[in-house]
Amino acid sequence: MIRRIAVPLVCVLVVSGLSGCGGDAHTFAVQAVAAGVPSLAPFFGEKQGLGHDTRARSLPVRGTLQQGDTPGLYGGTKQPTLCDVAKLKRFLTDPANHQKAVAWSSVPGIGTDRIPVYLDRLTPVLLRHDTLVENHDFRKGKATPYNSLLQAGIAILVDDQGEPAAKCSCGNPLRPFKGDANLISVKFADGNKKWSGYQASSVVAVRPAARKVERLALVDIGDPNRGIERPVGTTGKRDTVFDTRRQHAVPNLAGTTFGEAREQLVSSGLAVGYGGSTAPSDDARVTATDPPAGTELGFGEYVLLSVAGGAKSTPPAPTTTSGPTLGPPTSTPSSQPSSPPPSSRTSEPPPSSSSPTTGSPSMVTDSPSTSAPVTSSAAVTATVTTTTTPTTTATTTET
């Protein structure tokens, strides 16, 4: 009976991700979008100065899926304006551009009358990682979706849960990448040449923060020792700065759920790392951290979590939170189990600078960012009941 039930399930899974039972792995076609290279079918003319990209090299990640409130996920700059939100608002509310406004507003699923309010809640940031999104060109009067990989350094607008919402230089609306970030085939074409420092392992897809945030904790692209705290819905005029070198103690997380551990790390100014191709479910239990509790780390450094068990969980309904706390880390409840044995930390060497894309219409020439030290990888473990189901291993390819 078990075998008769299991075999059809295997085929369903294989058909959805593969070309057939025992076939080759299915990959998601992705169009590379390099910093400073104009879109072929933009909503907004890129020569009009709506937004400006910068030079940056993608930083390493510890987990392909990162939440929008991850400390240091996004960057900022000392330049006064990354994205002219007011200009985009005027353009989309101009009756002469009504057709574009209808197409644009269909992507976030709002009416054209809601465009001003929606834009007022968006925040300009710079990508610090090569980031997967569902992009949209304006073709034949409609918003045409396609998967794209945005190069680090591209200026975007994000919503109040940290999700990419629009590309600044052209105004094209963005939505979350819906495919498997570990099964992509990246196409570099139409002037978007493979950029220096590109690595498939540094690609990230952003999922929404569990709660709405009031402030985003950014890192200056040109000076990684300078942190920027930006209130959501502001363009930089109300920024406050902090020192990213200030140390934050790793909380005692053993015995907590993955969701609880993530919240504690974010509030402590630290990032969540995990092994494997997918993030653990929120109810999985943390069994170990690398480095262990009490270790001092700089802002945005990764803490690798090992977990066991867990089932697919439903994200909580969005509620407002103030985002990462940049002061001293809060204490951990004494009832939590003691931390696991210490494990070694290793640091990534600072990446070399990337060469600029030639022919860029709008490039801010900030200094290349260097990577903050990151911890060594740790595998995520889970309690799983297995059958004789065959497994396949898929690899990321580029063309």
Side-chain angles (χ1 to χ4, degrees):
M1 180 63 70
I2 292 177
R3 290 179 180 274
R4 291 179 180 178
I5 294 174
V7 170
L9 286 176
V10 170
C11 286
V12 169
L13 292 173
V14 167
V15 168
S16 64
L18 306 176
S19 60
C21 289
D24 296 330
H26 169 74
T27 58
F28 296 88
V30 175
Q31 176 66 51
V33 177
V37 176
S39 170
L40 296 180
F43 272 78
F44 192 96
E46 302 207 27
K47 294 183 179 180
Q48 299 181 44
L50 179 64
H52 304 277
D53 299 335
T54 188
R55 297 177 186 174
R57 182 165 180 163
S58 184
L59 302 178
V61 293
R62 296 295 182 266
T64 303
L65 297 175
Q66 293 290 322
Q67 288 201 164
D69 59 351
T70 299
L73 175 65
Y74 297 122
T77 177
K78 295 178 182 179
Q79 297 291 335
T81 304
L82 293 176
C83 190
D84 195 334
V85 181
K87 184 180 289 186
L88 179 59
K89 187 188 302 184
R90 289 194 299 270
F91 178 83
L92 291 174
T93 55
D94 187 335
N97 301 317
H98 180 69
Q99 186 179 28
K100 284 190 174 182
V102 171
W104 197 95
S105 61
S106 69
V107 176
I110 59 175
T112 55
D113 60 323
R114 298 289 298 169
I115 288 177
V117 175
Y118 178 76
L119 289 176
D120 284 340
R121 294 200 299 262
L122 302 183
T123 311
V125 298
L126 290 167
L127 296 178
R128 299 184 75 214
H129 307 276
D130 296 339
T131 303
L132 289 165
V133 295
E134 182 183 79
N135 207 338
H136 296 79
D137 277 343
F138 183 71
R139 297 180 183 275
K140 298 181 179 179
K142 296 182 179 180
T144 304
Y146 64 99
N147 294 326
S148 68
L149 177 67
L150 304 184
Q151 184 186 6
I154 286 178
I156 66 169
L157 292 169
V158 298
D159 65 17
D160 53 13
Q161 288 180 274
E163 275 284 347
K167 186 173 181 288
C168 286
S169 65
C170 60
N172 288 8
L174 307 174
R175 297 300 295 163
F177 177 70
K178 297 182 177 66
D180 187 333
N182 298 282
L183 296 173
I184 59 173
S185 177
V186 182
K187 181 180 181 181
F188 295 85
D190 301 321
N192 298 283
K193 297 179 180 179
K194 185 179 291 187
W195 45 84
S196 175
Y198 166 75
Q199 292 184 359
S201 60
S202 293
V203 170
V204 68
V206 182
R207 67 177 186 176
R211 298 173 178 82
K212 293 181 180 180
V213 298
E214 294 179 353
R215 299 181 301 275
L216 293 173
L218 315 175
V219 173
D220 192 319
I221 289 289
D223 179 7
N225 293 330
R226 179 178 181 266
I228 301 171
E229 194 173 53
R230 177 166 298 166
V232 167
T234 65
T235 59
K237 294 180 180 179
R238 294 169 53 191
D239 287 356
T240 56
V241 299
F242 61 94
D243 190 342
T244 60
R245 294 169 296 183
R246 183 176 182 178
Q247 297 292 288
H248 303 262
V250 176
N252 188 349
L253 301 174
T256 65
T257 66
F258 181 76
E260 293 167 343
R262 180 176 53 214
E263 289 187 8
Q264 288 194 47
L265 288 173
V266 168
S267 67
S268 299
L270 300 173
V272 178
Y274 57 88
S277 59
T278 58
S281 61
D282 283 349
D283 61 345
R285 290 285 169 180
V286 175
T287 60
T289 64
D290 180 16
T295 305
E296 298 284 334
L297 299 176
F299 173 81
E301 288 192 67
Y302 284 93
V303 176
L304 280 293
L305 301 179
S306 295
V307 303
K312 186 175 179 61
S313 59
T314 303
T319 56
T320 302
T321 184
S322 59
T325 300
L326 303 180
T330 57
S331 59
T332 321
S334 58
S335 59
Q336 292 180 352
S338 59
S339 61
S343 57
S344 60
R345 292 175 55 201
T346 59
S347 297
E348 294 281 351
S352 58
S353 60
S354 59
S355 53
T357 306
T358 57
S360 301
S362 56
M363 290 284 287
V364 178
T365 55
D366 284 339
S367 303
S369 171
T370 56
S371 168
V374 293
T375 60
S376 58
S377 299
V380 172
T381 58
T383 303
V384 182
T385 302
T386 58
T387 65
T388 57
T389 305
T391 58
T392 59
T393 302
T395 57
T396 303
T397 59
E398 303 90 40
T399 59

